[in-house]
Amino acid sequence: MKRLDNIEIVKANYENTKTLVSKYYIAHKQDKFLAKNFTHESLLKDINYLVDNGLGFVAIQNNISVGYLLGYKIKTLFFNESGIYSPDFAVYYDNDYVLYRLFEEYYREMKNESITHHAITLLTPSQDDFLVQLGYGLRVMDGVRFPHKNSPTDSLVSMIKADICDYNILLNLYKEHIQYMSSSPIFLEETNPELELTDILNDNDKIVFKILYMLEVVGFSVIDKLHAPGGKYFKDSETLGIKGTHILSNFQNKQIGSRYIELLDNYCIENGYNRLAVDFESMNYLALKFWSKTFHISAKTYIKYIGK
Ligand SMILES: CC(C)(COP(=O)(O)OP(=O)(O)OC[C@H]1O[C@@H](n2cnc3c(N)ncnc32)[C@H](O)[C@@H]1OP(=O)(O)O)[C@@H](O)C(=O)NCCC(=O)NCCS
């Protein structure tokens, strides 16, 4: 079908993505929340990798590249089904219509390859309305925080590093957490709490903090020193990642979690970390309220079911 808009959608290659990568870099390089690893060179490398290994299209108008959409093919993305994941840096467009045309071609190709889901991350503030019009729903939010030294208070909250000897103390808490995350409305896949907790406590790349209220353990938090959650360009070697935090339900909403973040800030400063990163399911109301209070929401991931 001949279009009147003179936009042509073609397969992405090194050449037709190059100027758009520069535009993306210029548009975001002042973003104070991006980490040091956000460089033009690294961006170009990522896009070239996607050109070679992922699915990617470029919109051309009057011989000029005006938008790109690329993504990684993932065997099980959500709901145990195949999908494509487009990180924030893999999407650039001059206007909504360009993105619409890119999506149109993208879905056609996904259908051909029987890929059922598309997940896309946009930096905030982003144009959620347009994605909602196209049938996307918000699924995951990423948060970033720059720790600062907090002075000691007379708070009754403290945190202590746990080890494998704390397994029994932590197990019920961990079970409550898994139960919470796998129930309505979140429905994350239920995992084996015993096995998972043992693995975490034995993993040298992770730290588990017991959170105490008046010397009673009422919560825990799992910290990942190497693999922080969230987008690639929001973390670096000085980032601590928060992988899961839970306060026993009887103790929630009493500022224990907030005080824990202050203590964690102090831990970061004392141990040379200058950034904390977290992600959470947007439908987790408690997490949304809690993390948005103390973290900058850096990116949002949306998902659309294309169909079989
Ligand atoms: C998220 C969680 C760790 C927060 O810890 P907490 O000790 O309850 O949090 P705080 O009491 O410090 O509250 C901090 C903010 O969270 C929000 N919040 C906490 N509980 C809330 C509730 N029941 N309803 C509405 N907002 C709530 C509020 O915005 C509150 O700020 P405010 O008191 O200034 O209004 C805790 O609620 C929890 O364990 N939830 C279940 C597991 C989970 O979702 N973990 C996070 C995902 S990994």
Side-chain angles (χ1 to χ4, degrees), residues 12-43:
N13 61 41
Y14 295 173
E15 235 5 80
N16 62 16
T17 49
K18 210 162 65 184
T19 51
L20 296 172
V21 171
S22 303
K23 278 191 172 182
Y24 183 93
Y25 178 70
I26 290 164
H28 296 290
K29 69 177 181 182
Q30 305 292 4
D31 185 339
K32 68 175 176 148
F33 292 99
L34 285 163
K36 288 192 296 281
N37 57 359
F38 181 71
T39 62
H40 186 241
E41 201 186 1
S42 162
L43 211 51

Side-chain angles (χ1 to χ4, degrees), residues 136-153:
Y136 285 79
L138 183 55
R139 175 76 206 219
V140 178
M141 294 165 83
D142 299 345
V144 168
R145 174 180 174 83
F146 298 121
H148 57 270
K149 186 88 187 153
N150 294 285
S151 38
T153 65

Side-chain angles (χ1 to χ4, degrees), residues 177 180 244-247 252-258 284-287 289-291 293:
H177 183 62
Y180 175 79
T245 301
H246 196 95
I247 303 292
Q252 287 171 10
N253 211 5
K254 296 181 192 299
Q255 301 300 307
I256 296 175
S258 302
N284 181 355
Y285 181 79
L286 292 178
K289 290 283 175 188
F290 179 67
W291 298 118
K293 191 182 150 192

Side-chain angles (χ1 to χ4, degrees), residues 160-193:
I160 302 178
K161 256 190 205 178
D163 60 33
I164 194 70
C165 303
D166 293 303
Y167 175 84
N168 287 328
I169 296 171
L170 290 172
L171 187 59
N172 278 344
L173 257 162
Y174 203 75
K175 280 184 177 164
E176 185 180 293
H177 183 62
I178 300 282
Q179 165 84 43
Y180 175 79
M181 298 301 279
S182 58
S183 310
S184 182
I186 309 172
F187 294 129
L188 286 190
E189 204 183 322
E190 200 163 343
T191 50
N192 179 327

